[in-house]
PDB file of all heavy atoms in Angstrom:
ATOM      1  N   LEU A1034      -2.725 -17.942  -0.323  1.00  0.00           N
ATOM      2  CA  LEU A1034      -1.271 -17.793  -0.244  1.00  0.00           C
ATOM      3  C   LEU A1034      -0.765 -17.209  -1.554  1.00  0.00           C
ATOM      4  O   LEU A1034      -1.031 -17.747  -2.629  1.00  0.00           O
ATOM      5  CB  LEU A1034      -0.622 -19.151   0.017  1.00  0.00           C
ATOM      6  CG  LEU A1034       0.911 -19.176   0.109  1.00  0.00           C
ATOM      7  CD1 LEU A1034       1.394 -18.373   1.317  1.00  0.00           C
ATOM      8  CD2 LEU A1034       1.407 -20.610   0.185  1.00  0.00           C
ATOM      9  N   GLU A1035      -0.038 -16.095  -1.478  1.00  0.00           N
ATOM     10  CA  GLU A1035       0.435 -15.414  -2.684  1.00  0.00           C
ATOM     11  C   GLU A1035       1.900 -15.013  -2.546  1.00  0.00           C
ATOM     12  O   GLU A1035       2.358 -14.647  -1.459  1.00  0.00           O
ATOM     13  CB  GLU A1035      -0.403 -14.158  -2.966  1.00  0.00           C
ATOM     14  CG  GLU A1035      -1.850 -14.460  -3.314  1.00  0.00           C
ATOM     15  CD  GLU A1035      -2.653 -13.211  -3.606  1.00  0.00           C
ATOM     16  OE1 GLU A1035      -2.286 -12.125  -3.121  1.00  0.00           O
ATOM     17  OE2 GLU A1035      -3.662 -13.314  -4.319  1.00  0.00           O
ATOM     18  N   LEU A1036       2.604 -15.096  -3.656  1.00  0.00           N
ATOM     19  CA  LEU A1036       3.978 -14.612  -3.720  1.00  0.00           C
ATOM     20  C   LEU A1036       3.986 -13.338  -4.549  1.00  0.00           C
ATOM     21  O   LEU A1036       3.596 -13.349  -5.714  1.00  0.00           O
ATOM     22  CB  LEU A1036       4.893 -15.663  -4.365  1.00  0.00           C
ATOM     23  CG  LEU A1036       6.356 -15.253  -4.541  1.00  0.00           C
ATOM     24  CD1 LEU A1036       7.022 -15.040  -3.190  1.00  0.00           C
ATOM     25  CD2 LEU A1036       7.116 -16.316  -5.333  1.00  0.00           C
ATOM     26  N   HIS A1037       4.407 -12.237  -3.938  1.00  0.00           N
ATOM     27  CA  HIS A1037       4.451 -10.953  -4.628  1.00  0.00           C
ATOM     28  C   HIS A1037       5.892 -10.612  -4.989  1.00  0.00           C
ATOM     29  O   HIS A1037       6.830 -10.967  -4.270  1.00  0.00           O
ATOM     30  CB  HIS A1037       3.889  -9.833  -3.741  1.00  0.00           C
ATOM     31  CG  HIS A1037       2.404  -9.858  -3.630  1.00  0.00           C
ATOM     32  ND1 HIS A1037       1.573  -9.093  -4.424  1.00  0.00           N
ATOM     33  CD2 HIS A1037       1.582 -10.579  -2.826  1.00  0.00           C
ATOM     34  CE1 HIS A1037       0.314  -9.332  -4.101  1.00  0.00           C
ATOM     35  NE2 HIS A1037       0.296 -10.227  -3.144  1.00  0.00           N
ATOM     36  N   LEU A1038       6.052  -9.921  -6.108  1.00  0.00           N
ATOM     37  CA  LEU A1038       7.357  -9.394  -6.476  1.00  0.00           C
ATOM     38  C   LEU A1038       7.314  -7.901  -6.201  1.00  0.00           C
ATOM     39  O   LEU A1038       6.577  -7.151  -6.843  1.00  0.00           O
ATOM     40  CB  LEU A1038       7.649  -9.657  -7.965  1.00  0.00           C
ATOM     41  CG  LEU A1038       9.096  -9.498  -8.405  1.00  0.00           C
ATOM     42  CD1 LEU A1038       9.980 -10.531  -7.702  1.00  0.00           C
ATOM     43  CD2 LEU A1038       9.220  -9.675  -9.913  1.00  0.00           C
ATOM     44  N   TYR A1039       8.078  -7.453  -5.213  1.00  0.00           N
ATOM     45  CA  TYR A1039       8.046  -6.063  -4.795  1.00  0.00           C
ATOM     46  C   TYR A1039       8.829  -5.169  -5.767  1.00  0.00           C
ATOM     47  O   TYR A1039       9.569  -5.683  -6.625  1.00  0.00           O
ATOM     48  CB  TYR A1039       8.576  -5.938  -3.373  1.00  0.00           C
ATOM     49  CG  TYR A1039       7.688  -6.631  -2.373  1.00  0.00           C
ATOM     50  CD1 TYR A1039       8.080  -7.824  -1.767  1.00  0.00           C
ATOM     51  CD2 TYR A1039       6.436  -6.108  -2.064  1.00  0.00           C
ATOM     52  CE1 TYR A1039       7.239  -8.474  -0.866  1.00  0.00           C
ATOM     53  CE2 TYR A1039       5.605  -6.749  -1.160  1.00  0.00           C
ATOM     54  CZ  TYR A1039       6.001  -7.929  -0.571  1.00  0.00           C
ATOM     55  OH  TYR A1039       5.167  -8.569   0.302  1.00  0.00           O
ATOM     56  N   PRO A1040       8.685  -3.841  -5.661  1.00  0.00           N
ATOM     57  CA  PRO A1040       9.345  -2.936  -6.616  1.00  0.00           C
ATOM     58  C   PRO A1040      10.846  -3.153  -6.752  1.00  0.00           C
ATOM     59  O   PRO A1040      11.406  -2.935  -7.820  1.00  0.00           O
ATOM     60  CB  PRO A1040       9.020  -1.550  -6.053  1.00  0.00           C
ATOM     61  CG  PRO A1040       7.702  -1.729  -5.360  1.00  0.00           C
ATOM     62  CD  PRO A1040       7.785  -3.105  -4.745  1.00  0.00           C
ATOM     63  N   ASN A1041      11.518  -3.597  -5.673  1.00  0.00           N
ATOM     64  CA  ASN A1041      12.969  -3.848  -5.753  1.00  0.00           C
ATOM     65  C   ASN A1041      13.271  -5.259  -6.234  1.00  0.00           C
ATOM     66  O   ASN A1041      14.413  -5.712  -6.180  1.00  0.00           O
ATOM     67  CB  ASN A1041      13.614  -3.615  -4.385  1.00  0.00           C
ATOM     68  CG  ASN A1041      13.077  -4.558  -3.319  1.00  0.00           C
ATOM     69  OD1 ASN A1041      12.202  -5.378  -3.572  1.00  0.00           O
ATOM     70  ND2 ASN A1041      13.609  -4.434  -2.113  1.00  0.00           N
ATOM     71  N   ARG A1042      12.202  -5.965  -6.688  1.00  0.00           N
ATOM     72  CA  ARG A1042      12.281  -7.325  -7.235  1.00  0.00           C
ATOM     73  C   ARG A1042      12.511  -8.398  -6.174  1.00  0.00           C
ATOM     74  O   ARG A1042      12.756  -9.554  -6.509  1.00  0.00           O
ATOM     75  CB  ARG A1042      13.326  -7.433  -8.358  1.00  0.00           C
ATOM     76  CG  ARG A1042      13.009  -6.569  -9.561  1.00  0.00           C
ATOM     77  CD  ARG A1042      13.902  -6.899 -10.752  1.00  0.00           C
ATOM     78  NE  ARG A1042      13.571  -6.066 -11.889  1.00  0.00           N
ATOM     79  CZ  ARG A1042      12.578  -6.288 -12.738  1.00  0.00           C
ATOM     80  NH1 ARG A1042      11.826  -7.333 -12.572  1.00  0.00           N
ATOM     81  NH2 ARG A1042      12.338  -5.476 -13.747  1.00  0.00           N
ATOM     82  N   ASP A1043      12.442  -8.035  -4.909  1.00  0.00           N
ATOM     83  CA  ASP A1043      12.501  -9.039  -3.856  1.00  0.00           C
ATOM     84  C   ASP A1043      11.138  -9.728  -3.750  1.00  0.00           C
ATOM     85  O   ASP A1043      10.101  -9.061  -3.765  1.00  0.00           O
ATOM     86  CB  ASP A1043      12.832  -8.399  -2.503  1.00  0.00           C
ATOM     87  CG  ASP A1043      14.301  -8.038  -2.389  1.00  0.00           C
ATOM     88  OD1 ASP A1043      15.100  -8.589  -3.170  1.00  0.00           O
ATOM     89  OD2 ASP A1043      14.641  -7.196  -1.534  1.00  0.00           O
ATOM     90  N   PRO A1044      11.117 -11.059  -3.632  1.00  0.00           N
ATOM     91  CA  PRO A1044       9.836 -11.749  -3.471  1.00  0.00           C
ATOM     92  C   PRO A1044       9.368 -11.667  -2.020  1.00  0.00           C
ATOM     93  O   PRO A1044      10.174 -11.594  -1.092  1.00  0.00           O
ATOM     94  CB  PRO A1044      10.172 -13.198  -3.857  1.00  0.00           C
ATOM     95  CG  PRO A1044      11.629 -13.339  -3.525  1.00  0.00           C
ATOM     96  CD  PRO A1044      12.249 -11.978  -3.761  1.00  0.00           C
ATOM     97  N   GLY A1045       8.072 -11.647  -1.822  1.00  0.00           N
ATOM     98  CA  GLY A1045       7.519 -11.615  -0.479  1.00  0.00           C
ATOM     99  C   GLY A1045       6.222 -12.401  -0.407  1.00  0.00           C
ATOM    100  O   GLY A1045       5.371 -12.295  -1.298  1.00  0.00           O
ATOM    101  N   TRP A1046       6.065 -13.204   0.635  1.00  0.00           N
ATOM    102  CA  TRP A1046       4.880 -14.036   0.794  1.00  0.00           C
ATOM    103  C   TRP A1046       3.842 -13.326   1.650  1.00  0.00           C
ATOM    104  O   TRP A1046       4.171 -12.625   2.602  1.00  0.00           O
ATOM    105  CB  TRP A1046       5.258 -15.360   1.453  1.00  0.00           C
ATOM    106  CG  TRP A1046       6.018 -16.281   0.552  1.00  0.00           C
ATOM    107  CD1 TRP A1046       7.370 -16.409   0.462  1.00  0.00           C
ATOM    108  CD2 TRP A1046       5.463 -17.190  -0.392  1.00  0.00           C
ATOM    109  NE1 TRP A1046       7.693 -17.362  -0.484  1.00  0.00           N
ATOM    110  CE2 TRP A1046       6.547 -17.850  -1.028  1.00  0.00           C
ATOM    111  CE3 TRP A1046       4.161 -17.519  -0.775  1.00  0.00           C
ATOM    112  CZ2 TRP A1046       6.364 -18.822  -2.006  1.00  0.00           C
ATOM    113  CZ3 TRP A1046       3.978 -18.483  -1.758  1.00  0.00           C
ATOM    114  CH2 TRP A1046       5.059 -19.120  -2.354  1.00  0.00           C
ATOM    115  N   CYS A1047       2.582 -13.559   1.321  1.00  0.00           N
ATOM    116  CA  CYS A1047       1.496 -12.981   2.106  1.00  0.00           C
ATOM    117  C   CYS A1047       0.254 -13.859   1.992  1.00  0.00           C
ATOM    118  O   CYS A1047       0.153 -14.721   1.108  1.00  0.00           O
ATOM    119  CB  CYS A1047       1.191 -11.556   1.663  1.00  0.00           C
ATOM    120  SG  CYS A1047       0.663 -11.430  -0.048  1.00  0.00           S
ATOM    121  N   LEU A1048      -0.686 -13.629   2.886  1.00  0.00           N
ATOM    122  CA  LEU A1048      -1.992 -14.275   2.847  1.00  0.00           C
ATOM    123  C   LEU A1048      -3.031 -13.195   2.579  1.00  0.00           C
ATOM    124  O   LEU A1048      -3.099 -12.194   3.297  1.00  0.00           O
ATOM    125  CB  LEU A1048      -2.296 -14.977   4.175  1.00  0.00           C
ATOM    126  CG  LEU A1048      -1.466 -16.226   4.494  1.00  0.00           C
ATOM    127  CD1 LEU A1048      -1.779 -16.711   5.899  1.00  0.00           C
ATOM    128  CD2 LEU A1048      -1.727 -17.325   3.484  1.00  0.00           C
ATOM    129  N   THR A1049      -3.829 -13.394   1.531  1.00  0.00           N
ATOM    130  CA  THR A1049      -4.778 -12.372   1.090  1.00  0.00           C
ATOM    131  C   THR A1049      -6.212 -12.830   1.317  1.00  0.00           C
ATOM    132  O   THR A1049      -6.556 -13.987   1.080  1.00  0.00           O
ATOM    133  CB  THR A1049      -4.568 -12.067  -0.402  1.00  0.00           C
ATOM    134  OG1 THR A1049      -3.253 -11.529  -0.588  1.00  0.00           O
ATOM    135  CG2 THR A1049      -5.594 -11.056  -0.901  1.00  0.00           C
ATOM    136  N   ARG A1050      -7.031 -11.899   1.781  1.00  0.00           N
ATOM    137  CA  ARG A1050      -8.456 -12.159   1.980  1.00  0.00           C
ATOM    138  C   ARG A1050      -9.251 -11.020   1.347  1.00  0.00           C
ATOM    139  O   ARG A1050      -8.941  -9.848   1.565  1.00  0.00           O
ATOM    140  CB  ARG A1050      -8.764 -12.274   3.475  1.00  0.00           C
ATOM    141  CG  ARG A1050     -10.229 -12.501   3.805  1.00  0.00           C
ATOM    142  CD  ARG A1050     -10.433 -12.773   5.288  1.00  0.00           C
ATOM    143  NE  ARG A1050      -9.770 -14.010   5.689  1.00  0.00           N
ATOM    144  CZ  ARG A1050      -9.957 -14.587   6.876  1.00  0.00           C
ATOM    145  NH1 ARG A1050     -10.760 -14.035   7.762  1.00  0.00           N
ATOM    146  NH2 ARG A1050      -9.330 -15.700   7.182  1.00  0.00           N
ATOM    147  N   LYS A1051     -10.271 -11.354   0.558  1.00  0.00           N
ATOM    148  CA  LYS A1051     -11.121 -10.345  -0.088  1.00  0.00           C
ATOM    149  C   LYS A1051     -12.587 -10.723   0.123  1.00  0.00           C
ATOM    150  O   LYS A1051     -12.955 -11.897  -0.030  1.00  0.00           O
ATOM    151  CB  LYS A1051     -10.827 -10.254  -1.586  1.00  0.00           C
ATOM    152  CG  LYS A1051      -9.423  -9.776  -1.931  1.00  0.00           C
ATOM    153  CD  LYS A1051      -9.197  -9.718  -3.435  1.00  0.00           C
ATOM    154  CE  LYS A1051      -7.781  -9.254  -3.762  1.00  0.00           C
ATOM    155  NZ  LYS A1051      -7.532  -9.216  -5.234  1.00  0.00           N
ATOM    156  N   VAL A1052     -13.404  -9.726   0.444  1.00  0.00           N
ATOM    157  CA  VAL A1052     -14.834  -9.958   0.656  1.00  0.00           C
ATOM    158  C   VAL A1052     -15.634  -8.911  -0.123  1.00  0.00           C
ATOM    159  O   VAL A1052     -15.219  -7.754  -0.254  1.00  0.00           O
ATOM    160  CB  VAL A1052     -15.216  -9.898   2.150  1.00  0.00           C
ATOM    161  CG1 VAL A1052     -14.507 -10.998   2.923  1.00  0.00           C
ATOM    162  CG2 VAL A1052     -14.882  -8.537   2.744  1.00  0.00           C
ATOM    163  N   ALA A1053     -16.777  -9.330  -0.635  1.00  0.00           N
ATOM    164  CA  ALA A1053     -17.658  -8.416  -1.355  1.00  0.00           C
ATOM    165  C   ALA A1053     -18.360  -7.482  -0.379  1.00  0.00           C
ATOM    166  O   ALA A1053     -18.683  -7.872   0.751  1.00  0.00           O
ATOM    167  CB  ALA A1053     -18.678  -9.204  -2.157  1.00  0.00           C
ATOM    168  N   LEU A1054     -18.585  -6.248  -0.800  1.00  0.00           N
ATOM    169  CA  LEU A1054     -19.351  -5.270  -0.028  1.00  0.00           C
ATOM    170  C   LEU A1054     -20.727  -5.116  -0.669  1.00  0.00           C
ATOM    171  O   LEU A1054     -20.824  -4.936  -1.889  1.00  0.00           O
ATOM    172  CB  LEU A1054     -18.630  -3.919  -0.005  1.00  0.00           C
ATOM    173  CG  LEU A1054     -17.228  -3.919   0.611  1.00  0.00           C
ATOM    174  CD1 LEU A1054     -16.598  -2.539   0.467  1.00  0.00           C
ATOM    175  CD2 LEU A1054     -17.278  -4.332   2.073  1.00  0.00           C
ATOM    176  N   ARG A1055     -21.773  -5.168   0.141  1.00  0.00           N
ATOM    177  CA  ARG A1055     -23.147  -5.130  -0.394  1.00  0.00           C
ATOM    178  C   ARG A1055     -23.928  -3.947   0.174  1.00  0.00           C
ATOM    179  O   ARG A1055     -23.671  -3.498   1.296  1.00  0.00           O
ATOM    180  CB  ARG A1055     -23.871  -6.442  -0.063  1.00  0.00           C
ATOM    181  CG  ARG A1055     -23.187  -7.669  -0.679  1.00  0.00           C
ATOM    182  CD  ARG A1055     -23.858  -8.971  -0.259  1.00  0.00           C
ATOM    183  NE  ARG A1055     -23.159 -10.132  -0.795  1.00  0.00           N
ATOM    184  CZ  ARG A1055     -23.396 -10.685  -1.977  1.00  0.00           C
ATOM    185  NH1 ARG A1055     -24.376 -10.181  -2.739  1.00  0.00           N
ATOM    186  NH2 ARG A1055     -22.715 -11.727  -2.398  1.00  0.00           N
ATOM    187  N   ASP A1056     -24.889  -3.454  -0.606  1.00  0.00           N
ATOM    188  CA  ASP A1056     -25.755  -2.381  -0.119  1.00  0.00           C
ATOM    189  C   ASP A1056     -26.920  -2.988   0.653  1.00  0.00           C
ATOM    190  O   ASP A1056     -26.991  -4.211   0.861  1.00  0.00           O
ATOM    191  CB  ASP A1056     -26.227  -1.488  -1.270  1.00  0.00           C
ATOM    192  CG  ASP A1056     -27.087  -2.236  -2.296  1.00  0.00           C
ATOM    193  OD1 ASP A1056     -27.564  -3.351  -1.986  1.00  0.00           O
ATOM    194  OD2 ASP A1056     -27.279  -1.702  -3.406  1.00  0.00           O
ATOM    195  N   ALA A1057     -27.841  -2.152   1.077  1.00  0.00           N
ATOM    196  CA  ALA A1057     -28.946  -2.625   1.910  1.00  0.00           C
ATOM    197  C   ALA A1057     -29.826  -3.642   1.200  1.00  0.00           C
ATOM    198  O   ALA A1057     -30.462  -4.486   1.831  1.00  0.00           O
ATOM    199  CB  ALA A1057     -29.790  -1.424   2.360  1.00  0.00           C
ATOM    200  N   ALA A1058     -29.834  -3.584  -0.137  1.00  0.00           N
ATOM    201  CA  ALA A1058     -30.654  -4.517  -0.911  1.00  0.00           C
ATOM    202  C   ALA A1058     -29.914  -5.811  -1.238  1.00  0.00           C
ATOM    203  O   ALA A1058     -30.470  -6.717  -1.850  1.00  0.00           O
ATOM    204  CB  ALA A1058     -31.127  -3.850  -2.209  1.00  0.00           C
ATOM    205  N   GLY A1059     -28.637  -5.882  -0.845  1.00  0.00           N
ATOM    206  CA  GLY A1059     -27.872  -7.098  -1.100  1.00  0.00           C
ATOM    207  C   GLY A1059     -27.049  -7.084  -2.364  1.00  0.00           C
ATOM    208  O   GLY A1059     -26.352  -8.066  -2.661  1.00  0.00           O
ATOM    209  N   ALA A1060     -27.110  -5.976  -3.121  1.00  0.00           N
ATOM    210  CA  ALA A1060     -26.328  -5.891  -4.356  1.00  0.00           C
ATOM    211  C   ALA A1060     -24.865  -5.605  -4.036  1.00  0.00           C
ATOM    212  O   ALA A1060     -24.563  -4.832  -3.116  1.00  0.00           O
ATOM    213  CB  ALA A1060     -26.884  -4.792  -5.261  1.00  0.00           C
ATOM    214  N   ILE A1061     -23.953  -6.224  -4.793  1.00  0.00           N
ATOM    215  CA  ILE A1061     -22.528  -6.001  -4.579  1.00  0.00           C
ATOM    216  C   ILE A1061     -22.136  -4.637  -5.131  1.00  0.00           C
ATOM    217  O   ILE A1061     -22.379  -4.332  -6.303  1.00  0.00           O
ATOM    218  CB  ILE A1061     -21.697  -7.107  -5.255  1.00  0.00           C
ATOM    219  CG1 ILE A1061     -21.970  -8.454  -4.570  1.00  0.00           C
ATOM    220  CG2 ILE A1061     -20.198  -6.788  -5.187  1.00  0.00           C
ATOM    221  CD1 ILE A1061     -21.277  -9.626  -5.213  1.00  0.00           C
ATOM    222  N   VAL A1062     -21.521  -3.809  -4.287  1.00  0.00           N
ATOM    223  CA  VAL A1062     -21.165  -2.446  -4.686  1.00  0.00           C
ATOM    224  C   VAL A1062     -19.652  -2.212  -4.628  1.00  0.00           C
ATOM    225  O   VAL A1062     -19.168  -1.138  -4.974  1.00  0.00           O
ATOM    226  CB  VAL A1062     -21.877  -1.410  -3.800  1.00  0.00           C
ATOM    227  CG1 VAL A1062     -23.387  -1.465  -4.032  1.00  0.00           C
ATOM    228  CG2 VAL A1062     -21.553  -1.629  -2.324  1.00  0.00           C
ATOM    229  N   GLY A1063     -18.907  -3.200  -4.182  1.00  0.00           N
ATOM    230  CA  GLY A1063     -17.455  -3.052  -4.090  1.00  0.00           C
ATOM    231  C   GLY A1063     -16.873  -4.240  -3.358  1.00  0.00           C
ATOM    232  O   GLY A1063     -17.550  -5.255  -3.153  1.00  0.00           O
ATOM    233  N   LEU A1064     -15.633  -4.118  -2.981  1.00  0.00           N
ATOM    234  CA  LEU A1064     -15.004  -5.173  -2.192  1.00  0.00           C
ATOM    235  C   LEU A1064     -13.973  -4.551  -1.257  1.00  0.00           C
ATOM    236  O   LEU A1064     -13.495  -3.435  -1.482  1.00  0.00           O
ATOM    237  CB  LEU A1064     -14.363  -6.237  -3.079  1.00  0.00           C
ATOM    238  CG  LEU A1064     -13.153  -5.887  -3.949  1.00  0.00           C
ATOM    239  CD1 LEU A1064     -11.835  -5.976  -3.173  1.00  0.00           C
ATOM    240  CD2 LEU A1064     -13.060  -6.830  -5.132  1.00  0.00           C
ATOM    241  N   SER A1065     -13.651  -5.289  -0.217  1.00  0.00           N
ATOM    242  CA  SER A1065     -12.616  -4.869   0.714  1.00  0.00           C
ATOM    243  C   SER A1065     -11.709  -6.058   0.970  1.00  0.00           C
ATOM    244  O   SER A1065     -12.126  -7.215   0.828  1.00  0.00           O
ATOM    245  CB  SER A1065     -13.240  -4.388   2.030  1.00  0.00           C
ATOM    246  OG  SER A1065     -12.242  -3.919   2.914  1.00  0.00           O
ATOM    247  N   GLY A1066     -10.466  -5.763   1.327  1.00  0.00           N
ATOM    248  CA  GLY A1066      -9.554  -6.869   1.559  1.00  0.00           C
ATOM    249  C   GLY A1066      -8.355  -6.480   2.395  1.00  0.00           C
ATOM    250  O   GLY A1066      -8.078  -5.301   2.616  1.00  0.00           O
ATOM    251  N   VAL A1067      -7.676  -7.509   2.868  1.00  0.00           N
ATOM    252  CA  VAL A1067      -6.417  -7.343   3.576  1.00  0.00           C
ATOM    253  C   VAL A1067      -5.434  -8.357   3.025  1.00  0.00           C
ATOM    254  O   VAL A1067      -5.808  -9.426   2.543  1.00  0.00           O
ATOM    255  CB  VAL A1067      -6.569  -7.539   5.111  1.00  0.00           C
ATOM    256  CG1 VAL A1067      -7.389  -6.441   5.725  1.00  0.00           C
ATOM    257  CG2 VAL A1067      -7.144  -8.908   5.422  1.00  0.00           C
ATOM    258  N   SER A1068      -4.173  -8.007   3.098  1.00  0.00           N
ATOM    259  CA  SER A1068      -3.094  -8.906   2.680  1.00  0.00           C
ATOM    260  C   SER A1068      -2.020  -8.835   3.755  1.00  0.00           C
ATOM    261  O   SER A1068      -1.405  -7.793   3.950  1.00  0.00           O
ATOM    262  CB  SER A1068      -2.536  -8.475   1.318  1.00  0.00           C
ATOM    263  OG  SER A1068      -1.523  -9.362   0.886  1.00  0.00           O
ATOM    264  N   ARG A1069      -1.821  -9.947   4.472  1.00  0.00           N
ATOM    265  CA  ARG A1069      -0.901  -9.967   5.607  1.00  0.00           C
ATOM    266  C   ARG A1069       0.435 -10.568   5.200  1.00  0.00           C
ATOM    267  O   ARG A1069       0.501 -11.685   4.690  1.00  0.00           O
ATOM    268  CB  ARG A1069      -1.488 -10.796   6.760  1.00  0.00           C
ATOM    269  CG  ARG A1069      -2.747 -10.227   7.355  1.00  0.00           C
ATOM    270  CD  ARG A1069      -3.212 -11.060   8.551  1.00  0.00           C
ATOM    271  NE  ARG A1069      -3.709 -12.372   8.131  1.00  0.00           N
ATOM    272  CZ  ARG A1069      -3.149 -13.520   8.466  1.00  0.00           C
ATOM    273  NH1 ARG A1069      -2.052 -13.542   9.214  1.00  0.00           N
ATOM    274  NH2 ARG A1069      -3.668 -14.667   8.074  1.00  0.00           N
ATOM    275  N   ASP A1070       1.500  -9.804   5.404  1.00  0.00           N
ATOM    276  CA  ASP A1070       2.833 -10.364   5.204  1.00  0.00           C
ATOM    277  C   ASP A1070       3.042 -11.480   6.221  1.00  0.00           C
ATOM    278  O   ASP A1070       2.650 -11.350   7.382  1.00  0.00           O
ATOM    279  CB  ASP A1070       3.911  -9.287   5.396  1.00  0.00           C
ATOM    280  CG  ASP A1070       3.869  -8.231   4.301  1.00  0.00           C
ATOM    281  OD1 ASP A1070       3.333  -8.537   3.221  1.00  0.00           O
ATOM    282  OD2 ASP A1070       4.346  -7.115   4.548  1.00  0.00           O
ATOM    283  N   LEU A1071       3.641 -12.562   5.783  1.00  0.00           N
ATOM    284  CA  LEU A1071       3.860 -13.674   6.697  1.00  0.00           C
ATOM    285  C   LEU A1071       4.927 -13.312   7.712  1.00  0.00           C
ATOM    286  O   LEU A1071       6.051 -12.943   7.362  1.00  0.00           O
ATOM    287  CB  LEU A1071       4.269 -14.927   5.919  1.00  0.00           C
ATOM    288  CG  LEU A1071       3.128 -15.562   5.112  1.00  0.00           C
ATOM    289  CD1 LEU A1071       3.623 -16.770   4.344  1.00  0.00           C
ATOM    290  CD2 LEU A1071       1.976 -15.963   6.027  1.00  0.00           C
ATOM    291  N   ALA A1072       4.553 -13.430   8.979  1.00  0.00           N
ATOM    292  CA  ALA A1072       5.435 -13.020  10.061  1.00  0.00           C
ATOM    293  C   ALA A1072       6.387 -14.148  10.451  1.00  0.00           C
ATOM    294  O   ALA A1072       6.264 -15.283  10.011  1.00  0.00           O
ATOM    295  CB  ALA A1072       4.600 -12.609  11.273  1.00  0.00           C
ATOM    296  N   MET A1073       7.352 -13.804  11.304  1.00  0.00           N
ATOM    297  CA  MET A1073       8.234 -14.815  11.860  1.00  0.00           C
ATOM    298  C   MET A1073       7.424 -15.755  12.750  1.00  0.00           C
ATOM    299  O   MET A1073       6.405 -15.385  13.317  1.00  0.00           O
ATOM    300  CB  MET A1073       9.333 -14.149  12.683  1.00  0.00           C
ATOM    301  CG  MET A1073      10.287 -13.289  11.868  1.00  0.00           C
ATOM    302  SD  MET A1073      11.272 -14.263  10.713  1.00  0.00           S
ATOM    303  CE  MET A1073      12.339 -15.129  11.869  1.00  0.00           C
ATOM    304  N   ALA A1074       7.898 -16.976  12.877  1.00  0.00           N
ATOM    305  CA  ALA A1074       7.201 -17.960  13.694  1.00  0.00           C
ATOM    306  C   ALA A1074       7.187 -17.537  15.163  1.00  0.00           C
ATOM    307  O   ALA A1074       8.112 -16.881  15.646  1.00  0.00           O
ATOM    308  CB  ALA A1074       7.881 -19.319  13.566  1.00  0.00           C
ATOM    309  N   ASP A1075       6.113 -17.932  15.851  1.00  0.00           N
ATOM    310  CA  ASP A1075       5.978 -17.644  17.279  1.00  0.00           C
ATOM    311  C   ASP A1075       6.764 -18.690  18.067  1.00  0.00           C
ATOM    312  O   ASP A1075       6.223 -19.712  18.494  1.00  0.00           O
ATOM    313  CB  ASP A1075       4.500 -17.664  17.672  1.00  0.00           C
ATOM    314  CG  ASP A1075       4.292 -17.406  19.156  1.00  0.00           C
ATOM    315  OD1 ASP A1075       5.256 -16.970  19.818  1.00  0.00           O
ATOM    316  OD2 ASP A1075       3.182 -17.650  19.641  1.00  0.00           O
ATOM    317  N   GLN A1076       8.052 -18.440  18.289  1.00  0.00           N
ATOM    318  CA  GLN A1076       8.905 -19.423  18.937  1.00  0.00           C
ATOM    319  C   GLN A1076       8.625 -19.543  20.442  1.00  0.00           C
ATOM    320  O   GLN A1076       9.142 -20.462  21.086  1.00  0.00           O
ATOM    321  CB  GLN A1076      10.373 -19.081  18.695  1.00  0.00           C
ATOM    322  CG  GLN A1076      10.738 -19.100  17.221  1.00  0.00           C
ATOM    323  CD  GLN A1076      12.222 -18.902  16.986  1.00  0.00           C
ATOM    324  OE1 GLN A1076      13.029 -19.123  17.869  1.00  0.00           O
ATOM    325  NE2 GLN A1076      12.579 -18.491  15.777  1.00  0.00           N
ATOM    326  N   LYS A1077       7.827 -18.658  21.001  1.00  0.00           N
ATOM    327  CA  LYS A1077       7.495 -18.744  22.426  1.00  0.00           C
ATOM    328  C   LYS A1077       6.374 -19.734  22.687  1.00  0.00           C
ATOM    329  O   LYS A1077       6.133 -20.121  23.836  1.00  0.00           O
ATOM    330  CB  LYS A1077       7.094 -17.353  22.948  1.00  0.00           C
ATOM    331  CG  LYS A1077       8.225 -16.334  22.898  1.00  0.00           C
ATOM    332  CD  LYS A1077       7.758 -14.982  23.427  1.00  0.00           C
ATOM    333  CE  LYS A1077       8.875 -13.956  23.373  1.00  0.00           C
ATOM    334  NZ  LYS A1077       8.428 -12.624  23.855  1.00  0.00           N
TER     335      LYS A1077
END
């Protein structure tokens, strides 16, 4: 759970996930991730 301060200084909440990327030998060569803005509740 993260609180970001956007360029217009408005705060915004999101959930961030990051995972390591590995080559065929298992060595870490980078990472990939997503950060989801928290949506409105599912009132249905």
Side-chain angles (χ1 to χ4, degrees):
L1034 179 65
E1035 294 181 335
L1036 178 65
H1037 285 264
L1038 196 64
Y1039 295 108
N1041 62 359
R1042 297 191 180 278
D1043 284 341
W1046 288 95
C1047 61
L1048 290 174
T1049 297
R1050 178 173 296 191
K1051 296 180 181 179
V1052 297
L1054 300 176
R1055 299 176 183 272
D1056 63 15
I1061 294 176
V1062 294
L1064 67 84
S1065 183
V1067 292
S1068 182
R1069 296 184 290 116
D1070 292 338
L1071 288 178
M1073 295 294 290
D1075 179 13
Q1076 298 186 21
K1077 296 180 180 179

